[in-house]
């Protein structure tokens, strides 16, 4: 059913005149955490800007900014005052803000755990029941220092994951939603307390896509945060939460972006209507604002050399384009994203590829096919006897003539298939007859007069 609805949405979109899409409905964001905080920052931002991306997301780990993070007792300093932190605390983040400003790129900040030991309840680790009072002070320091550079905040990375927040469960019931409610409310107060940030966008959630006995499933987590199916009356306040949107990481698996997770409370890119329905239910109760927009703040497609969970290199951009197409036709989605410019470095022991291989480059810097395709995604999917093509010229957000070319199986020759005009936001689509094994590519002329050709894509 979801598959069919996507085709209907696409064909309806193609029937609209170009003027109907006069401004992009979705922001494109990019996350390259290591690259944006080290010496490759300037080059990485130039590449991101050339892709047509105008926002980056940076996760800021509380522990990395806190003085004496391993001590059990909090140092004597005013944690809400950015000038009270040790010299050099803000150097790398200051550098990102300045470099992004020069490139005309906005920065979204995600303050999150792990946290300093002195901010936990047990004083034994860096994720156990963080103090919402101390978190509020730290977020206020961030808001005071970067309020002029940041107008979008998302609070706590994957709070339904034990590596960022504990305990996830208590006596067999989800406990992390309660912890997160208090942390979110504290951060919201901190940001809004700074005069220049009173109109900033503040996002709730940042949930991981799947759950199990150690990870709270994302929709169950959402219901807990909204106090819909968990009794928090004895634990804390269930006042309605103020938020401007819900952030989620809709990663899919090796089967592809259209695959559906078995658990009803999981949300991958192929089942976004589940999240829409859950948010609407919370909105009707008054516990969350109605019709909250969805921000897919972290997404990527794992690729080889990780053969356990990744797809072949040539399939990575094809799957990503389909995922972006799904996001595009889901009208509640306000933001889509790409996670990683470079793959994580291989581990030295055990299975070497236990990090993220969702980058556009390999860990050694070599470009994957996804690097060339990212600026001009082309999704190709088979529906019965037809192939439906959807594409976007990301850097060229204006009406543009494009030529769709096709190459038949066994042929080396590319033939003209269709000549189209994109919407004024660079989007195009067409339905053509399916033939097994045929490949497609798109050609266009840039504003500067250069002829460009996208990489070949086939239906998987």
């Amino acid at each position: 059913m979801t598959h069919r609805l996507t085709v209907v949405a696409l064909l309806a979109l193609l029937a609209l005149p170009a003027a109907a899409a006069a401004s992009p409905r979705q922001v494109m964001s990019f996350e390259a955490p290591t690259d944006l905080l080290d010496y490759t920052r300037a080059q990485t931002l130039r590449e991101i800007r050339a892709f047509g991306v105008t926002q980056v997301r940076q996760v800021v780990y509380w522990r990395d900014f806190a003085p004496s993070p391993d001590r059990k007792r909090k140092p004597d300093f005013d944690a809400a005052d950015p000038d009270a932190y040790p010299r050099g605390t803000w150097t790398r983040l200051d550098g990102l803000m300045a470099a992004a400003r020069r490139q005309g790129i906005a920065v979204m900040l995600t303050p999150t755990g792990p946290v300093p030991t002195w901010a936990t309840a047990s004083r034994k680790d860096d994720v156990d029941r963080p103090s919402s009072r101390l978190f509020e002070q730290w977020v206020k320091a961030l808001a005071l220092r970067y309020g002029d550079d940041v107008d979008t905040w998302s609070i706590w990375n994957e709070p339904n994951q034990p590596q960022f927040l504990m305990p996830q469960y208590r006596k067999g019931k989800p406990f992390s939603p309660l912890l997160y409610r208090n942390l979110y409310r504290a951060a919201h107060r901190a940001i809004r307390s700074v005069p220049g940030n009173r109109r900033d966008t503040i996002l709730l959630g940042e949930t991981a896509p799947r759950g199990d006995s150690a990870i709270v499933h994302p929709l169950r987590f959402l219901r807990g945060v909204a106090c819909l199916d968990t009794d928090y009356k004895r634990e804390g306040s269930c006042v309605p939460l103020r938020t401007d949107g819900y952030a989620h990481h809709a990663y899919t698996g090796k089967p592809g972006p259209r695959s559906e997770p078995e658990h009803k409370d999981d949300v991958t890119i192929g089942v976004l209507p589940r999240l829409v329905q859950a948010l609407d239910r919370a909105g009707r109760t008054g516990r969350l604002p109605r019709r909250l927009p969805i921000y897919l703040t972290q997404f990527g497609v794992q690729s080889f050399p990780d053969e356990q969970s990744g797809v072949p290199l040539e399939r990575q951009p094809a799957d990503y384009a389909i995922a972006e197409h799904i996001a595009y036709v889901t009208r509640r989605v306000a933001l889509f994203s790409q996670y990683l410019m470079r793959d994580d470095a291989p581990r030295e022991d055990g299975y070497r590829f236990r990090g993220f291989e969702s980058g556009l480059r390999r860990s050694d810097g070599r470009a994957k096919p996804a690097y060339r395709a990212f600026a001009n995604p082309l999704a190709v999917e088979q529906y019965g006897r037809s192939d439906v093509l959807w594409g976007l010229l990301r850097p060229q957000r204006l009406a543009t003539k494009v030529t769709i070319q096709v190459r038949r199986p066994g042929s080396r020759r590319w033939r003209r298939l269709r000549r189209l005009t994109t919407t004024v936001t660079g989007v195009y689509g067409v339905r053509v007859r399916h033939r097994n094994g045929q490949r497609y590519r798109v050609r266009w002329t840039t504003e500067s007069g250069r002829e460009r050709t996208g990489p070949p894509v086939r239906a998987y």
Side-chain angles (χ1 to χ4, degrees), residues 191-266:
I191 295 167
R192 289 286 187 253
S193 72
V194 178
N197 299 340
R198 288 176 182 167
R199 293 189 177 182
D200 286 1
T201 297
I202 305 176
L203 305 180
L204 179 76
E206 286 292 352
T207 40
R210 298 174 187 263
D212 55 29
S213 60
I215 303 166
V216 178
H217 296 275
L219 293 188
R220 192 175 186 189
F221 183 88
L222 169 58
R223 293 195 299 270
V225 169
C227 299
L228 296 184
D229 64 356
T230 304
D231 182 9
Y232 286 118
K233 292 180 180 179
R234 291 175 297 174
E235 302 283 358
S237 171
C238 269
V239 299
L241 291 178
R242 297 179 180 179
T243 186
D244 301 300
Y246 194 87
H248 182 64
H249 304 171
Y251 286 107
T252 187
K254 194 169 184 176
R258 293 288 181 188
S259 61
E260 298 189 7
E262 292 183 4
H263 199 283
K264 62 182 177 60
D265 284 335
D266 286 344

Side-chain angles (χ1 to χ4, degrees), residues 54-67:
T54 56
Q55 186 193 81
V56 294
R57 174 178 179 250
Q58 186 63 46
V59 174
V60 283
Y61 300 105
W62 186 2
R63 183 179 180 84
D64 291 348
F65 292 81

Side-chain angles (χ1 to χ4, degrees), residues 22 45 65 71 84 100-101 110 170 192 215-217 259 298 305 331 350 361 389 396 408 455-456:
L45 284 171
F65 292 81
R71 287 177 53 178
R101 198 182 310 119
T110 301
R170 176 179 281 184
R192 289 286 187 253
I215 303 166
V216 178
H217 296 275
S259 61
Q298 196 177 101
R331 299 192 64 85
R361 294 182 179 274
L389 281 64
Q396 194 154 322
R408 312 292 187 197

Side-chain angles (χ1 to χ4, degrees), residues 290-346:
R290 287 180 175 269
R291 295 194 60 80
L292 274 178
I294 295 169
Y295 291 72
L296 301 178
T297 51
Q298 196 177 101
F299 185 82
V301 175
Q302 296 275 89
S303 75
F304 288 4
D306 178 6
E307 297 189 13
Q308 289 187 1
S309 57
V311 300
L313 292 177
E314 63 273 13
R315 182 178 152 187
Q316 183 188 17
D319 279 6
Y320 188 92
I322 292 171
E324 185 166 4
H325 175 205
I326 294 171
Y328 186 85
V329 298
T330 304
R331 299 192 64 85
R332 289 280 283 280
V333 175
L335 177 145
F336 193 58
S337 60
Q338 161 62 22
Y339 181 65
L340 290 187
M341 179 66 78
R342 287 183 300 162
D343 290 349
D344 289 336

